[in-house]
Amino acid sequence: MNTPEDSSLGREVAYPDRYDPGLLFPIPRAGARAAMGIDDNALPFIGHDRWHAYELSWLDAGGKPCVGTATLYVPFDSPALIESKSLKLYLNSLNGVRFNSPAAVCERIGNDLSARAGAVVRVSLGLPDMQQHRKGESLDGLSLEINDYGPPNADYLGTLAGGPVTEILFSDLLKSNCPVTGQPDWATLEIRYHGAPINREGLLRYLVSFRDHAGFHEQCVERIFHDLINHCQPQQLSVEARYTRRGGLDINPWRATPGFLPPVPVRDLRQ
């Protein structure tokens, strides 16, 4: 079976002392999408999952250790996502492997991830720059009484009267929990849209209702995109979550209506 319960995820495991691509644990996307009412064969969005790897090391051709960072792009339409702890273990399995060049490191990681995700995964060394100036308006200063922390409640979502607007809204208050370990996952969520004005109070209540929800990062972003499309019906929509680092990795899923340009890759201060 290919479920988290059948793996070593969430259990104490020894760190690998040799290269092992079998450590990578794919989780099919279709099941969670079906539970949300998303047809995996007719996806309503485009996007990617951008990973930042902060703890990467290998040996050069002479056996001297090298260290680096990496950015990985997993396409939204890959049959599977990669569980983060398994990626951490896999990257550590490269610690004793000799490579002729940094390009060979990227090629090996890309090939192994592509084989497990079922689609081409792009890998490059280095990380995006830190974001210096945020665009848009924060929801977090709204004065609200909130006592609903889950499950996610899309009934809060709605629009206000008025003509279409083009807005960027963000919040640092998105939190969910790992469905395997129960550990908290924190993120900044950025919403770009064109359409009827979204009710900001309702949007913030909705985001806070993820607080006790157990879901993988990618699944949470797809749920938010799906709920906004269904309840607010924007003409254009982009949803990106920039999650904080855990285990030397952070994940930044992005989903958008077709035709939307990908966001400029950046890292937040919390990352």
Side-chain angles (χ1 to χ4, degrees):
M1 296 293 290
N2 217 33
T3 65
E5 290 75 14
D6 301 309
S7 75
S8 61
L9 311 180
R11 306 174 190 174
E12 184 175 347
V13 294
Y15 275 88
D17 58 4
R18 61 187 59 130
Y19 167 65
D20 185 2
L23 290 166
L24 291 168
F25 191 79
I27 297 176
R29 297 186 191 266
R33 287 172 173 171
M36 290 185 279
I38 299 174
D39 184 353
D40 198 50
N41 295 311
L43 295 173
F45 45 68
I46 59 173
H48 58 237
D49 304 326
R50 188 180 75 249
W51 295 66
H52 301 149
Y54 297 83
E55 301 171 5
L56 178 63
S57 184
W58 66 94
L59 304 179
D60 68 12
K64 185 178 74 173
C66 305
V67 294
T69 55
T71 300
L72 324 173
Y73 281 90
V74 181
F76 74 102
D77 54 357
S78 64
L81 58 88
I82 302 297
E83 197 281 331
S84 61
K85 184 175 181 180
S86 76
L87 178 56
K88 174 189 171 82
L89 294 172
Y90 161 75
L91 292 178
N92 274 281
S93 82
L94 300 173
N95 290 345
V97 181
R98 296 192 182 202
F99 291 93
N100 291 325
S101 67
V105 179
C106 292
E107 182 178 7
R108 177 72 63 85
I109 296 172
N111 288 341
D112 289 343
L113 284 172
S114 298
R116 302 300 276 173
V120 175
V121 176
R122 295 186 288 118
V123 180
S124 61
L125 294 184
L127 298 172
D129 292 334
M130 281 287 185
Q131 181 172 234
Q132 299 300 319
H133 304 288
R134 282 180 166 180
K135 296 181 180 179
E137 300 179 62
S138 174
L139 301 172
D140 300 346
L142 296 173
S143 180
L144 298 176
E145 287 283 339
I146 297 180
N147 54 22
D148 183 358
Y149 307 110
N153 188 352
D155 289 341
Y156 290 124
L157 294 173
T159 58
L160 304 174
V165 298
T166 299
E167 288 189 316
I168 302 173
L169 304 175
F170 64 87
S171 174
D172 293 322
L173 302 184
L174 179 61
K175 173 194 170 290
S176 54
N177 298 316
C178 173
V180 178
T181 65
Q183 289 184 296
D185 294 317
W186 310 89
T188 292
L189 188 79
E190 183 176 283
I191 297 170
R192 298 171 180 251
Y193 76 97
H194 177 77
I198 293 176
N199 184 322
R200 297 184 183 187
E201 291 190 0
L203 176 57
L204 185 58
R205 292 183 188 278
Y206 167 70
L207 296 180
V208 171
S209 74
F210 277 81
R211 194 167 181 84
D212 293 333
H213 174 64
F216 292 111
H217 302 59
E218 301 91 334
Q219 296 167 354
C220 290
V221 170
E222 292 185 359
R223 179 184 291 272
I224 292 169
F225 177 94
H226 182 65
D227 287 344
L228 283 169
I229 285 290
N230 284 341
H231 289 262
C232 300
Q233 300 181 338
Q235 299 168 35
Q236 296 175 307
L237 176 64
S238 168
V239 178
E240 182 185 31
R242 295 188 288 274
Y243 279 86
T244 58
R245 194 185 320 178
R246 187 148 58 83
L249 298 164
D250 66 54
I251 312 174
N252 307 266
W254 169 65
R255 301 293 184 269
T257 49
F260 220 108
L261 292 177
V264 175
V266 295
R267 289 182 295 142
D268 281 336
L269 291 177
R270 293 198 298 166
Q271 294 180 308

